[in-house]
Amino acid sequence: MQYSVALPPSPSARPQRPPLVFVHGTFHSSWCWAEHWLGFFAQRGHEAYAISLRGTSGSPEPTPRRISVDEHVDDLAAFLTAVVGRPAVLVGHSFGGAYVQKLLERGEPAAAGAVLLCSVPPSGNGAMIWRFLRRSPLSALRITRGFALKSACTSVDDASRLFFSAALPPDEVRRHMTRFAEDSACSLDVPDFNRKLPSRGARADERPAWVRACPPMLVLGAERDAVVDAEAIEEAAAFYGASSAMLPGLGHDVMLVPGWERAADAISDWLASPALAATVSGGKAA
């Protein structure tokens, strides 16, 4: 498997902070983190890795096909064991957040913490699509067209509105669209994921045992996200008992849009929190 990495300027800083592993969603691979975020976090003393999951341009399959979430979780688990080699903080964006949740459900390899960033919620996309449909049929149509019919690879308007909330110049959008096309040749098997949702088996009065064993978590949403709504962010935060925040003025691809520093700063501040520091140092988080 292929990946991108940025290391702290001082080797002595590496053991003192947890490594970070950034996990992309559909239509993306490791390039989306390499644009800004890997260097940002390396400068703050973290080993920063971004994996390219199978079926993307970074780790291509010989024949286009459907990829299951389980296969992507297998990739992530193997990467954490073979390359990173110690508990890391996992940062999952969009469907990458689903892979992080499913890895936490497995319970191994152990994670030091997790950030769900504009992530698919534990109950999947179904209820969220219905909410978009009720609020704005055009928005629901754009989401369906953009992902299922892959118009985000061919329409500047759809790509701009879905991923960047019209915040990037058209030339920048086209540059990213080339990547979207390369990274979406293999489709994600969403029906298979819907049969294995992280929320399965959960009761209203009790979280599943694996959730109670999760490391410290942060859930972040974006105010102008056209793909993941505020209710999904609230759902994930409640399900995991995690702190949460909405990032003002940002679109879905918070790592690429102007103002990406605000999202990176929010994660950096959380990484310095006492609960996470206790977990990383081997203590018991509050």
Side-chain angles (χ1 to χ4, degrees):
M1 70 192 74
Q2 296 187 28
Y3 63 94
S4 300
V5 61
L7 301 177
S10 170
S12 63
R14 295 177 195 173
Q16 299 170 18
R17 295 178 181 265
L20 307 179
V21 175
F22 295 95
V23 187
H24 64 83
T26 55
F27 286 57
H28 296 65
S29 58
S30 64
W31 63 267
C32 68
W33 306 106
E35 289 262 328
H36 304 296
W37 279 35
L38 294 188
F40 176 95
F41 285 100
Q43 287 295 321
R44 283 153 182 78
H46 297 273
E47 297 176 13
Y49 300 89
I51 184 174
S52 289
L53 297 166
R54 76 178 77 180
T56 66
S57 60
S59 295
E61 288 289 314
T63 301
R65 60 185 182 90
R66 284 190 181 274
I67 304 293
S68 73
V69 168
D70 286 339
E71 288 176 301
H72 277 171
V73 177
D74 289 343
D75 290 345
L76 179 57
F79 178 79
L80 291 169
T81 300
V83 178
V84 183
R86 60 190 176 106
V89 174
L90 310 177
V91 182
H93 176 257
S94 197
F95 242 104
Y99 312 145
V100 168
Q101 292 173 70
K102 293 298 290 183
L103 185 131
L104 294 175
E105 184 180 9
R106 288 187 184 184
E108 57 181 4
V115 179
L116 302 182
L117 188 61
C118 300
S119 170
V120 172
S123 64
N125 284 340
M128 188 163 58
I129 292 297
W130 279 110
R131 290 194 298 268
F132 275 109
L133 185 61
R134 288 195 301 270
R135 285 193 292 255
S136 170
L138 179 59
S139 295
L141 173 63
R142 183 177 290 115
I143 292 171
T144 302
R145 184 174 65 205
F147 288 96
L149 301 181
K150 301 186 180 181
S151 70
C153 303
T154 58
S155 165
V156 172
D157 184 63
D158 283 356
S160 180
R161 291 177 183 274
L162 286 174
F163 291 108
F164 312 115
S165 295
L168 286 181
D171 286 349
E172 280 292 287
V173 176
R174 291 188 186 93
R175 181 168 69 89
H176 294 314
M177 286 171 61
T178 299
R179 299 277 202 169
F180 295 163
E182 293 170 347
D183 289 329
S184 62
C186 291
S187 298
L188 182 67
D189 190 344
V190 176
D192 177 69
F193 173 65
N194 289 337
R195 292 189 291 269
K196 305 171 182 178
L197 294 169
S199 63
R200 63 180 176 166
R203 302 188 315 186
D205 60 343
E206 185 179 357
R207 290 185 290 165
W210 70 268
V211 172
R212 298 196 298 274
C214 282
M217 295 181 69
L218 173 66
V219 180
L220 293 176
E223 180 186 35
R224 299 183 62 194
D225 196 334
V227 178
V228 175
D229 62 9
E231 290 91 335
I233 302 305
E234 294 167 1
E235 176 198 323
F239 187 79
Y240 293 107
S243 57
S244 64
M246 293 296 290
L247 299 163
L250 298 186
H252 185 65
D253 272 12
V254 295
M255 73 291 281
L256 294 170
V257 296
W260 61 265
E261 298 92 342
R262 296 199 299 276
D265 281 334
I267 295 173
S268 185
D269 291 344
W270 177 77
L271 289 168
S273 67
L276 188 64
T279 301
V280 172
S281 65
K284 186 176 181 179

